[in-house]
Amino acid sequence: IIGIVVADTHENAKSASQKIQVEYEELPAVLCIKDALRAGSFHPDTEKFLQKGDVDECFNSGACQKIIEGEVQIGGQEHFYLEPNSTLIWTADGGNEVHMISSTQ
């Protein structure tokens, strides 16, 4: 979401939305996890969770039926561009009530 237009009429809202100007800075594309690691490109303020177990105990207990080693790359990061988000807001009851429909996933 870049911004929200709040107006007293639909016409005023459409008029105000035409006056919005957005400036973008061109940045290099980061298209895979290796590029993100090299560029230090991460989502800020994400919760980090790491849980460690006892690998040797697992191997010796017979609980590990399969051991898989290697690397997995998932090409598409579809959750970044699945859909643009839009919101429709209107008032009711003389402006005492606000209704909202949002297209979030």
Short mmCIF file of all heavy atoms in Angstrom, two decimals, residues 29-58:
data_model
loop_
_atom_site.label_atom_id
_atom_site.label_comp_id
_atom_site.label_asym_id
_atom_site.label_seq_id
_atom_site.Cartn_x
_atom_site.Cartn_y
_atom_site.Cartn_z
N ALA A 29 17.92 -6.09 -9.45
CA ALA A 29 16.98 -7.17 -9.14
C ALA A 29 17.67 -8.22 -8.27
O ALA A 29 18.82 -8.58 -8.51
CB ALA A 29 16.47 -7.81 -10.42
N VAL A 30 16.97 -8.70 -7.26
CA VAL A 30 17.44 -9.81 -6.42
C VAL A 30 16.47 -10.95 -6.68
O VAL A 30 15.33 -10.92 -6.21
CB VAL A 30 17.47 -9.41 -4.93
CG1 VAL A 30 17.89 -10.59 -4.07
CG2 VAL A 30 18.39 -8.22 -4.71
N LEU A 31 16.92 -11.94 -7.45
CA LEU A 31 16.00 -12.96 -7.95
C LEU A 31 16.19 -14.35 -7.35
O LEU A 31 15.43 -15.26 -7.64
CB LEU A 31 16.11 -13.05 -9.47
CG LEU A 31 15.81 -11.73 -10.20
CD1 LEU A 31 16.06 -11.88 -11.69
CD2 LEU A 31 14.40 -11.26 -9.92
N CYS A 32 17.21 -14.51 -6.52
CA CYS A 32 17.41 -15.82 -5.90
C CYS A 32 18.01 -15.62 -4.51
O CYS A 32 18.50 -14.54 -4.18
CB CYS A 32 18.29 -16.73 -6.75
SG CYS A 32 20.01 -16.22 -6.83
N ILE A 33 17.97 -16.65 -3.71
CA ILE A 33 18.44 -16.54 -2.33
C ILE A 33 19.93 -16.23 -2.27
O ILE A 33 20.37 -15.48 -1.40
CB ILE A 33 18.09 -17.83 -1.53
CG1 ILE A 33 18.35 -17.63 -0.04
CG2 ILE A 33 18.85 -19.02 -2.06
CD1 ILE A 33 17.48 -16.63 0.63
N LYS A 34 20.71 -16.75 -3.20
CA LYS A 34 22.15 -16.46 -3.18
C LYS A 34 22.42 -14.99 -3.44
O LYS A 34 23.29 -14.39 -2.80
CB LYS A 34 22.89 -17.35 -4.18
CG LYS A 34 22.97 -18.79 -3.75
CD LYS A 34 23.75 -19.64 -4.72
CE LYS A 34 23.79 -21.08 -4.22
NZ LYS A 34 24.50 -21.97 -5.10
N ASP A 35 21.67 -14.39 -4.38
CA ASP A 35 21.81 -12.95 -4.62
C ASP A 35 21.39 -12.15 -3.38
O ASP A 35 22.01 -11.15 -3.03
CB ASP A 35 20.95 -12.50 -5.81
CG ASP A 35 21.47 -13.01 -7.14
OD1 ASP A 35 22.63 -13.48 -7.19
OD2 ASP A 35 20.72 -12.94 -8.14
N ALA A 36 20.33 -12.60 -2.72
CA ALA A 36 19.86 -11.90 -1.51
C ALA A 36 20.90 -11.98 -0.40
O ALA A 36 21.15 -11.00 0.30
CB ALA A 36 18.53 -12.51 -1.04
N LEU A 37 21.54 -13.13 -0.24
CA LEU A 37 22.57 -13.27 0.78
C LEU A 37 23.77 -12.38 0.48
O LEU A 37 24.30 -11.70 1.36
CB LEU A 37 23.02 -14.73 0.89
CG LEU A 37 21.97 -15.69 1.47
CD1 LEU A 37 22.42 -17.13 1.31
CD2 LEU A 37 21.70 -15.36 2.92
N ARG A 38 24.19 -12.35 -0.80
CA ARG A 38 25.32 -11.50 -1.19
C ARG A 38 25.00 -10.02 -0.98
O ARG A 38 25.84 -9.24 -0.55
CB ARG A 38 25.69 -11.73 -2.65
CG ARG A 38 26.62 -12.89 -2.88
CD ARG A 38 27.20 -12.88 -4.28
NE ARG A 38 26.19 -13.09 -5.31
CZ ARG A 38 25.81 -14.29 -5.77
NH1 ARG A 38 26.37 -15.38 -5.28
NH2 ARG A 38 24.90 -14.40 -6.69
N ALA A 39 23.76 -9.61 -1.28
CA ALA A 39 23.37 -8.20 -1.19
C ALA A 39 22.93 -7.82 0.22
O ALA A 39 22.69 -6.64 0.49
CB ALA A 39 22.23 -7.91 -2.18
N GLY A 40 22.80 -8.80 1.11
CA GLY A 40 22.30 -8.50 2.46
C GLY A 40 20.86 -8.00 2.41
O GLY A 40 20.45 -7.17 3.19
N SER A 41 20.08 -8.54 1.48
CA SER A 41 18.70 -8.10 1.27
C SER A 41 17.74 -9.03 2.01
O SER A 41 17.46 -10.14 1.56
CB SER A 41 18.39 -8.12 -0.24
OG SER A 41 17.06 -7.75 -0.47
N PHE A 42 17.26 -8.56 3.16
CA PHE A 42 16.36 -9.36 4.00
C PHE A 42 15.20 -8.49 4.46
O PHE A 42 15.32 -7.27 4.51
CB PHE A 42 17.09 -9.88 5.25
CG PHE A 42 18.35 -10.65 4.93
CD1 PHE A 42 19.59 -10.03 4.99
CD2 PHE A 42 18.29 -11.97 4.57
CE1 PHE A 42 20.74 -10.72 4.70
CE2 PHE A 42 19.45 -12.67 4.27
CZ PHE A 42 20.67 -12.05 4.34
N HIS A 43 14.11 -9.12 4.83
CA HIS A 43 13.00 -8.38 5.43
C HIS A 43 13.43 -7.96 6.83
O HIS A 43 13.85 -8.79 7.63
CB HIS A 43 11.73 -9.24 5.51
CG HIS A 43 11.12 -9.49 4.18
ND1 HIS A 43 10.42 -8.52 3.50
CD2 HIS A 43 11.11 -10.57 3.38
CE1 HIS A 43 10.00 -9.00 2.36
NE2 HIS A 43 10.41 -10.26 2.26
N PRO A 44 13.31 -6.67 7.16
CA PRO A 44 13.74 -6.21 8.49
C PRO A 44 12.78 -6.67 9.59
O PRO A 44 11.61 -6.97 9.33
CB PRO A 44 13.72 -4.69 8.35
CG PRO A 44 12.71 -4.43 7.28
CD PRO A 44 12.79 -5.60 6.34
N ASP A 45 13.27 -6.73 10.79
CA ASP A 45 12.46 -7.00 11.98
C ASP A 45 11.69 -8.32 11.92
O ASP A 45 10.58 -8.41 12.39
CB ASP A 45 11.49 -5.85 12.25
CG ASP A 45 12.22 -4.53 12.40
OD1 ASP A 45 13.30 -4.52 13.01
OD2 ASP A 45 11.71 -3.52 11.89
N THR A 46 12.28 -9.33 11.28
CA THR A 46 11.61 -10.63 11.26
C THR A 46 12.06 -11.43 12.47
O THR A 46 13.20 -11.30 12.93
CB THR A 46 11.94 -11.42 9.97
OG1 THR A 46 13.35 -11.53 9.85
CG2 THR A 46 11.37 -10.74 8.75
N GLU A 47 11.17 -12.24 12.99
CA GLU A 47 11.51 -13.06 14.15
C GLU A 47 12.38 -14.21 13.69
O GLU A 47 12.06 -14.90 12.71
CB GLU A 47 10.23 -13.60 14.79
CG GLU A 47 10.49 -14.43 16.02
CD GLU A 47 9.21 -14.97 16.65
OE1 GLU A 47 8.15 -14.36 16.43
OE2 GLU A 47 9.29 -15.98 17.34
N LYS A 48 13.47 -14.43 14.37
CA LYS A 48 14.36 -15.52 14.03
C LYS A 48 14.17 -16.64 15.05
O LYS A 48 14.13 -16.39 16.25
CB LYS A 48 15.81 -15.04 14.02
CG LYS A 48 16.04 -14.02 12.93
CD LYS A 48 17.45 -13.51 12.92
CE LYS A 48 17.61 -12.59 11.74
NZ LYS A 48 18.03 -11.29 12.06
N PHE A 49 14.03 -17.85 14.55
CA PHE A 49 13.80 -19.00 15.42
C PHE A 49 14.69 -20.14 14.96
O PHE A 49 14.66 -20.54 13.81
CB PHE A 49 12.32 -19.42 15.34
CG PHE A 49 12.02 -20.62 16.19
CD1 PHE A 49 11.88 -20.51 17.55
CD2 PHE A 49 11.88 -21.86 15.61
CE1 PHE A 49 11.60 -21.62 18.33
CE2 PHE A 49 11.60 -22.97 16.38
CZ PHE A 49 11.46 -22.86 17.74
N LEU A 50 15.49 -20.63 15.85
CA LEU A 50 16.37 -21.76 15.55
C LEU A 50 16.28 -22.73 16.72
O LEU A 50 16.49 -22.35 17.87
CB LEU A 50 17.81 -21.26 15.37
CG LEU A 50 18.86 -22.32 15.04
CD1 LEU A 50 18.54 -23.00 13.71
CD2 LEU A 50 20.23 -21.69 15.00
N GLN A 51 15.95 -23.97 16.41
CA GLN A 51 15.84 -24.98 17.44
C GLN A 51 16.82 -26.09 17.12
O GLN A 51 16.84 -26.61 16.00
CB GLN A 51 14.41 -25.54 17.49
CG GLN A 51 14.20 -26.55 18.58
CD GLN A 51 12.75 -27.01 18.64
OE1 GLN A 51 11.90 -26.58 17.87
NE2 GLN A 51 12.47 -27.88 19.57
N LYS A 52 17.65 -26.44 18.07
CA LYS A 52 18.66 -27.47 17.86
C LYS A 52 18.29 -28.72 18.64
O LYS A 52 17.80 -28.65 19.75
CB LYS A 52 20.03 -26.97 18.31
CG LYS A 52 20.56 -25.82 17.47
CD LYS A 52 21.95 -25.42 17.93
CE LYS A 52 22.48 -24.30 17.07
NZ LYS A 52 23.84 -23.92 17.43
N GLY A 53 18.55 -29.84 18.02
CA GLY A 53 18.36 -31.11 18.68
C GLY A 53 19.69 -31.84 18.79
O GLY A 53 20.73 -31.30 18.41
N ASP A 54 19.65 -33.04 19.30
CA ASP A 54 20.87 -33.85 19.44
C ASP A 54 20.93 -34.82 18.26
O ASP A 54 20.27 -35.87 18.26
CB ASP A 54 20.85 -34.60 20.77
CG ASP A 54 22.16 -35.30 21.07
OD1 ASP A 54 22.91 -35.62 20.11
OD2 ASP A 54 22.45 -35.52 22.25
N VAL A 55 21.71 -34.47 17.25
CA VAL A 55 21.79 -35.25 16.03
C VAL A 55 22.34 -36.65 16.31
O VAL A 55 21.81 -37.66 15.82
CB VAL A 55 22.65 -34.52 14.97
CG1 VAL A 55 22.85 -35.39 13.72
CG2 VAL A 55 22.02 -33.20 14.60
N ASP A 56 23.41 -36.73 17.08
CA ASP A 56 24.01 -38.03 17.37
C ASP A 56 23.01 -38.95 18.07
O ASP A 56 22.91 -40.14 17.76
CB ASP A 56 25.26 -37.86 18.23
CG ASP A 56 26.39 -37.19 17.45
OD1 ASP A 56 26.46 -37.40 16.22
OD2 ASP A 56 27.18 -36.45 18.07
N GLU A 57 22.26 -38.40 19.01
CA GLU A 57 21.26 -39.21 19.73
C GLU A 57 20.20 -39.73 18.76
O GLU A 57 19.78 -40.88 18.84
CB GLU A 57 20.60 -38.39 20.83
CG GLU A 57 19.57 -39.18 21.63
CD GLU A 57 18.89 -38.34 22.70
OE1 GLU A 57 19.51 -37.41 23.22
OE2 GLU A 57 17.72 -38.63 23.00
N CYS A 58 19.78 -38.89 17.84
CA CYS A 58 18.78 -39.31 16.85
C CYS A 58 19.32 -40.44 15.98
O CYS A 58 18.66 -41.45 15.78
CB CYS A 58 18.38 -38.12 15.99
SG CYS A 58 17.13 -38.52 14.75
#
